[in-house]
Structure formats: structure tokens, C-alpha cells
Amino acid sequence: MEINGLGFFSILLAFWCVAWLSASYTLTVINNHATPLMYISEAGNYFPENILFIIGFEGMAIASLGLMFLHYKFIMLHAEAFGAHQALIQKILLAIGWSSCGNIVVMAVFSTDAFPITHRLSSFIAFGLGGIYNLWQSILLYKVPGSRRVISHFRTASCIMALTLVVSYIGSRVSVYTHLCAGDECLKISEMTAKIIEWSTLVLILVNVLSYYQNMQSLSITITWKSFTISKREKDQVSGV
């Protein structure tokens, strides 16, 4: 079996994230387990939305593993545009990306209510490594022949903004834990800022996932009962990457 164009993978991952987050958020608010403006992790503190929370994040982690592998294959299929050490660089990036996915699983399993330190630490690592991975890949993709500059600029900008928000989020949390932010008013502002940053970062991540649609469309996969092969599509089948 041969499938031409793997752009649907990016769309399915984005759809999966929106679908389960919407369901978890709605259940959490309806059951009065959190206020409408809540941390994403608050959807994982109570039953039944915590089931959706765990399944959703684990599904997201698994799908992200697959998408990162496709990124790796895409770059390696265009290796002539890069230096001799690109294979090693891509393996390092793949390890960083998959480490991010592993920490997403840990973050989902250990709720912020029962395991606050484990949950927060794994979330910092997951989104920090994920931001580094995506930014590095977005910069490398500028070198791919036929890359659309507008999409490349958009993708890189979203990565930089997401990384900036992650650093800001960590700063807001550290200020609370170290008591640099004292007083009710300061705590309220810090909590509100952290929540807005968290949701904004998620939106940027989804934008970044969708930005790979055109790149993935230039790939095809051939599946047999023994193996599968990922290759470039013929030039007459795709207008560019």
C-alpha cells in the first residue's frame, strides 16, 4: 500500500489536541472542578476528565513521536542541502524531541494535585526541550530547496514566541515558589499571567504543528507486511515544500 502526501498527519495531531482538550475543559468547568480560566493541568485533577487528560496527552506524545520521525526522514531525504554532519545533528534532535515526548507522558500520569513537583518539573522539561527541538528544525528547514519563506518565517516566529512564553512561565512560577512574589495582589497577577501564558503556548504549538503540512505533503509512505519505506513524492505530484 502506498500513501502519497503525509500532511494529514499534522492535521490529525492538531485535531486530536483540540478535541480532547475541549472535552476535558468542558467537563472540568461543568463539574465545577475549576474556574473557566484555569491551568490546563487542572483538567487532570478530578474524575472523569482526568481520564481524558491522560489519554489525550499520551496520544499527543505518541503522535508527536511519529511526526518528529517524519521530520527526521524529511531532512535526511534532503541531506544534499546540508553539511556532512547533518545525520548526527538529526539524531541528536530526534533524541531531544523524543525526550520531550517522554516527559509529556510523565506530566500526564502525575497530576499537579497529587504530585505537584513531578508534574511541574516534567512539564518544564517537556515544553523546554520541545521548544528547542522545534526552533532548531525550523531554522534548518530554511535550507531545504523550494521551502516557502513565508511559512518558514511564520514557523520560526511561532517557535521563538513559544520559547519566550515558556521562559516567562517558569519565571512566574519560580517567583511564587521562592516568595519573590508576595502578597495577595501579586499572587493573583502571577497566577493569571501563568494561565494566559500556558494557553497561549499551546496555541503556538498547534500553529507550529500545522506549519509542517506542506513539508509532509512532499513525502509518501509505502507499507508492506514486512516493512515500510518513506520517500520523496515525484515532482509532478507535489508543487513544492
Side-chain angles (χ1 to χ4, degrees):
M1 180 178 68
E2 184 176 9
I3 302 174
N4 286 311
L6 304 181
F8 68 90
F9 206 92
S10 294
I11 294 176
L12 285 178
L13 176 54
F15 176 79
W16 170 265
C17 293
V18 172
W20 74 261
L21 271 173
S22 299
S24 298
Y25 176 88
T26 302
L27 279 174
T28 303
V29 173
I30 289 176
N31 292 327
N32 293 317
H33 290 156
T35 60
L37 182 55
M38 62 179 180
Y39 289 108
I40 296 173
S41 56
E42 289 186 79
N45 290 336
Y46 300 96
F47 181 84
E49 56 266 25
N50 62 338
I51 303 299
L52 282 174
F53 184 84
I54 294 173
I55 293 174
F57 261 121
E58 290 190 351
M60 174 182 170
I62 293 170
S64 295
L65 286 173
L67 186 59
M68 289 174 181
F69 180 72
L70 290 179
H71 293 171
Y72 168 79
K73 295 298 292 185
F74 178 83
I75 293 292
M76 295 314 298
L77 287 169
H78 294 84
E80 67 277 2
F82 303 96
H85 301 296
Q86 191 54 221
L88 177 60
I89 292 174
Q90 282 303 308
K91 288 176 181 177
I92 293 173
L93 280 179
L94 197 60
I96 292 173
W98 283 9
S99 296
S100 171
C101 294
N103 278 279
I104 287 176
V105 173
V106 174
M107 179 187 68
V109 173
F110 294 92
S111 70
T112 185
D113 188 46
F115 307 94
I117 296 177
T118 303
H119 177 89
R120 292 191 177 100
L121 183 60
S122 60
S123 66
F124 292 162
I125 295 173
F127 292 108
L129 291 180
I132 292 170
Y133 168 85
N134 284 309
L135 178 59
W136 202 341
Q137 287 290 38
S138 68
I139 293 172
L140 288 174
L141 285 171
Y142 276 99
K143 296 184 179 181
V144 175
S147 290
R148 296 181 180 179
R149 288 286 173 176
V150 173
I151 295 177
S152 296
H153 292 334
F154 189 68
R155 179 165 46 226
T156 303
S158 69
C159 290
I160 293 173
M161 290 172 63
L163 266 177
T164 303
L165 289 176
V166 168
V167 172
S168 301
Y169 178 86
I170 293 174
S172 69
R173 297 292 82 203
V174 169
S175 68
V176 173
Y177 301 144
T178 58
H179 305 292
L180 293 175
C181 181
D184 291 341
E185 193 63 30
C186 182
L187 289 174
K188 286 181 181 178
I189 293 174
S190 178
E191 290 289 317
M192 183 71 69
T193 301
K195 291 174 181 178
I196 293 173
I197 287 175
E198 196 172 83
W199 285 99
S200 300
T201 302
L202 176 65
V203 171
L204 289 171
I205 290 172
L206 293 178
V207 167
N208 186 262
V209 167
L210 290 172
S211 72
Y212 286 99
Y213 172 82
Q214 193 63 37
N215 298 108
M216 298 301 100
Q217 277 297 92
S218 68
L219 298 178
S220 65
I221 183 169
T222 303
I223 303 173
T224 65
W225 70 278
K226 288 184 177 181
S227 63
F228 68 92
T229 303
I230 298 173
S231 58
K232 294 181 186 178
R233 294 175 68 183
E234 296 296 329
K235 288 185 179 180
D236 60 349
Q237 293 180 308
V238 60
S239 58
V241 296

